[in-house]
Coordinates of all heavy atoms in Angstrom, one line a residue:
L1 N 8.2 7.9 3.4 CA 6.8 8.1 3.8 C 6.6 9.1 4.9 O 5.6 9.8 5.0 CB 6.2 6.7 4.1 CG 6.0 5.7 3.0 CD1 5.5 4.4 3.5 CD2 5.2 6.2 1.8
R2 N 7.6 9.1 5.8 CA 7.5 10.1 6.9 C 7.6 11.5 6.4 O 7.0 12.5 6.9 CB 8.6 9.9 7.9 CG 8.4 8.7 8.8 CD 9.6 8.5 9.7 NE 9.3 7.5 10.8 CZ 10.2 7.1 11.6 NH1 11.5 7.5 11.6 NH2 9.9 6.2 12.5
S3 N 8.4 11.7 5.3 CA 8.8 13.1 4.9 C 8.0 13.6 3.7 O 8.0 14.8 3.4 CB 10.3 13.2 4.7 OG 10.6 12.4 3.5
D4 N 7.4 12.7 2.9 CA 6.8 13.1 1.6 C 5.3 12.8 1.6 O 4.9 11.6 1.5 CB 7.5 12.4 0.5 CG 7.1 12.8 -0.9 OD1 5.9 13.2 -1.0 OD2 7.9 12.7 -1.8
S5 N 4.5 13.8 1.8 CA 3.0 13.6 1.9 C 2.5 13.0 0.6 O 1.5 12.3 0.6 CB 2.3 14.9 2.3 OG 2.5 15.9 1.4
G6 N 3.0 13.4 -0.5 CA 2.6 12.9 -1.8 C 2.9 11.4 -1.9 O 2.0 10.6 -2.4
A7 N 4.1 11.0 -1.5 CA 4.4 9.5 -1.6 C 3.5 8.8 -0.6 O 3.0 7.7 -0.9 CB 5.9 9.4 -1.2
R8 N 3.3 9.4 0.6 CA 2.4 8.7 1.6 C 1.0 8.6 1.0 O 0.4 7.5 1.2 CB 2.4 9.6 2.9 CG 1.8 8.9 4.0 CD 2.2 9.6 5.4 NE 1.9 11.0 5.4 CZ 2.8 12.0 5.4 NH1 4.1 11.7 5.5 NH2 2.4 13.3 5.4
A9 N 0.5 9.6 0.3 CA -0.9 9.5 -0.2 C -1.0 8.4 -1.3 O -1.9 7.7 -1.4 CB -1.3 10.8 -0.8
R10 N 0.0 8.4 -2.2 CA 0.1 7.3 -3.2 C 0.1 5.9 -2.6 O -0.6 5.0 -3.1 CB 1.3 7.5 -4.1 CG 1.2 8.7 -5.1 CD 2.4 8.9 -5.9 NE 2.7 7.8 -6.7 CZ 4.0 7.5 -7.2 NH1 5.0 8.4 -7.0 NH2 4.2 6.5 -8.0
Y11 N 0.9 5.8 -1.6 CA 1.0 4.5 -1.0 C -0.3 4.1 -0.3 O -0.7 3.0 -0.4 CB 2.2 4.5 0.0 CG 2.5 3.2 0.7 CD1 2.8 2.0 0.0 CD2 2.4 3.1 2.1 CE1 3.0 0.8 0.6 CE2 2.6 1.9 2.7 CZ 2.9 0.7 2.0 OH 3.1 -0.4 2.6
L12 N -0.9 5.0 0.4 CA -2.1 4.8 1.1 C -3.2 4.4 0.2 O -4.0 3.4 0.5 CB -2.5 6.0 2.0 CG -3.8 5.8 2.8 CD1 -3.8 4.6 3.7 CD2 -4.1 7.1 3.5
S13 N -3.3 5.0 -1.0 CA -4.3 4.6 -1.9 C -4.2 3.2 -2.4 O -5.2 2.4 -2.4 CB -4.2 5.6 -3.2 OG -5.1 5.2 -4.1
V14 N -3.0 2.7 -2.6 CA -2.7 1.3 -3.0 C -3.0 0.4 -1.8 O -3.6 -0.7 -2.0 CB -1.3 1.2 -3.6 CG1 -1.0 -0.3 -3.8 CG2 -1.1 2.0 -4.9
K15 N -2.6 0.8 -0.6 CA -2.8 0.0 0.6 C -4.3 -0.2 0.8 O -4.7 -1.4 1.1 CB -2.3 0.7 1.8 CG -0.9 0.5 2.2 CD -0.5 1.4 3.3 CE -1.2 1.1 4.6 NZ -0.4 0.3 5.5
R16 N -5.1 0.8 0.6 CA -6.5 0.7 0.9 C -7.2 -0.3 -0.2 O -8.0 -1.1 0.2 CB -7.2 2.0 0.8 CG -7.0 2.8 2.1 CD -7.8 4.1 2.2 NE -7.7 4.6 3.6 CZ -7.6 5.9 3.9 NH1 -7.5 6.8 2.9 NH2 -7.6 6.3 5.1
A17 N -6.8 -0.1 -1.4 CA -7.3 -1.0 -2.5 C -6.9 -2.5 -2.2 O -7.7 -3.4 -2.3 CB -6.8 -0.5 -3.8
A18 N -5.6 -2.6 -1.8 CA -5.1 -4.0 -1.6 C -5.8 -4.6 -0.4 O -6.2 -5.8 -0.4 CB -3.6 -4.0 -1.3
A19 N -6.0 -3.9 0.7 CA -6.7 -4.4 1.9 C -8.2 -4.7 1.5 O -8.7 -5.7 2.1 CB -6.7 -3.4 3.0
A20 N -8.8 -3.9 0.7 CA -10.2 -4.2 0.3 C -10.4 -5.5 -0.5 O -11.4 -6.1 -0.3 CB -10.8 -3.0 -0.4
D21 N -9.4 -5.8 -1.3 CA -9.6 -7.0 -2.2 C -8.8 -8.2 -1.8 O -9.1 -9.3 -2.3 CB -9.1 -6.5 -3.6 CG -10.0 -5.5 -4.2 OD1 -11.2 -5.4 -3.8 OD2 -9.5 -4.7 -5.0
A22 N -7.7 -8.1 -1.1 CA -6.8 -9.2 -0.8 C -7.5 -10.3 0.1 O -8.3 -9.9 1.0 CB -5.5 -8.7 -0.1
T23 N -7.2 -11.5 -0.2 CA -7.8 -12.6 0.6 C -6.8 -13.0 1.8 O -7.1 -13.9 2.5 CB -8.1 -13.8 -0.2 OG1 -6.9 -14.2 -0.9 CG2 -9.2 -13.5 -1.2
G24 N -5.7 -12.4 1.8 CA -4.7 -12.8 2.9 C -3.5 -11.8 2.8 O -3.4 -11.0 1.9
W25 N -2.6 -12.0 3.8 CA -1.5 -11.1 3.9 C -0.5 -11.3 2.7 O 0.0 -10.3 2.3 CB -0.7 -11.5 5.2 CG -1.4 -10.9 6.4 CD1 -2.7 -10.9 6.7 CD2 -0.7 -10.2 7.4 NE1 -2.9 -10.3 7.9 CE2 -1.7 -9.8 8.4 CE3 0.6 -9.8 7.7 CZ2 -1.4 -9.1 9.5 CZ3 0.9 -9.1 8.8 CH2 -0.1 -8.7 9.7
G26 N -0.3 -12.4 2.2 CA 0.6 -12.6 1.1 C 0.1 -11.8 -0.1 O 0.9 -11.1 -0.8
E27 N -1.2 -12.0 -0.4 CA -1.8 -11.2 -1.5 C -1.7 -9.7 -1.3 O -1.5 -9.0 -2.2 CB -3.2 -11.7 -1.8 CG -3.8 -11.1 -3.0 CD -5.3 -11.6 -3.2 OE1 -5.7 -12.6 -2.6 OE2 -5.9 -10.9 -4.0
Y28 N -2.0 -9.3 -0.1 CA -2.0 -7.9 0.3 C -0.6 -7.3 0.0 O -0.4 -6.3 -0.6 CB -2.4 -7.7 1.8 CG -2.1 -6.4 2.3 CD1 -3.0 -5.3 2.0 CD2 -1.1 -6.1 3.2 CE1 -2.8 -4.0 2.6 CE2 -0.9 -4.9 3.8 CZ -1.8 -3.8 3.5 OH -1.6 -2.6 4.0
T29 N 0.4 -8.0 0.5 CA 1.8 -7.6 0.3 C 2.2 -7.6 -1.2 O 2.8 -6.6 -1.7 CB 2.8 -8.5 1.0 OG1 2.4 -8.4 2.4 CG2 4.2 -8.1 0.8
A30 N 1.7 -8.6 -1.9 CA 2.0 -8.6 -3.4 C 1.4 -7.5 -4.1 O 2.0 -6.9 -5.0 CB 1.6 -10.0 -3.9
R31 N 0.2 -7.1 -3.7 CA -0.5 -6.0 -4.4 C 0.1 -4.7 -4.1 O -0.1 -3.7 -4.9 CB -2.0 -6.0 -4.0 CG -2.8 -7.1 -4.6 CD -4.2 -7.1 -4.2 NE -4.9 -8.2 -4.7 CZ -6.1 -8.1 -5.3 NH1 -6.8 -6.9 -5.3 NH2 -6.7 -9.2 -5.8
K32 N 0.9 -4.5 -3.1 CA 1.6 -3.3 -2.8 C 3.0 -3.2 -3.4 O 3.6 -2.2 -3.4 CB 1.7 -3.1 -1.3 CG 0.4 -2.9 -0.6 CD 0.6 -2.6 0.9 CE 1.6 -3.6 1.5 NZ 1.9 -3.3 2.9
A33 N 3.5 -4.3 -3.9 CA 4.9 -4.4 -4.4 C 5.2 -3.4 -5.5 O 6.3 -2.8 -5.4 CB 5.2 -5.8 -4.9
G34 N 4.3 -3.1 -6.4 CA 4.5 -2.2 -7.5 C 4.7 -0.8 -7.0 O 5.7 -0.1 -7.4
I35 N 3.9 -0.3 -6.0 CA 4.1 1.1 -5.5 C 5.3 1.2 -4.7 O 6.0 2.2 -4.7 CB 2.8 1.6 -4.8 CG1 2.9 3.1 -4.5 CG2 2.6 0.8 -3.5 CD1 3.0 4.0 -5.7
V36 N 5.6 0.1 -3.9 CA 6.9 0.1 -3.1 C 8.1 0.3 -4.1 O 9.0 1.1 -3.8 CB 7.0 -1.1 -2.2 CG1 8.3 -1.2 -1.6 CG2 5.9 -1.1 -1.2
T37 N 8.1 -0.5 -5.1 CA 9.2 -0.5 -6.1 C 9.3 0.9 -6.7 O 10.4 1.4 -6.9 CB 9.0 -1.6 -7.1 OG1 9.1 -2.9 -6.5 CG2 10.1 -1.5 -8.2

């Protein structure tokens, strides 16, 4: 994420969607799991 702006942008897009919809930290983390993998 530090070195690849494209990867950072993909991750941020998923993070923002997860934060907007998640009801808690566990759900937020679970919603990001696919992009992390």
Side-chain angles (χ1 to χ4, degrees):
L1 294 179
R2 283 178 172 174
S3 66
D4 184 331
S5 62
R8 192 167 51 249
R10 288 177 58 201
Y11 182 62
L12 179 56
S13 177
V14 172
K15 275 175 63 102
R16 283 189 168 139
D21 295 335
T23 57
W25 282 46
E27 184 180 346
Y28 170 75
T29 300
R31 287 179 180 223
K32 297 184 309 173
I35 189 64
V36 171
T37 299

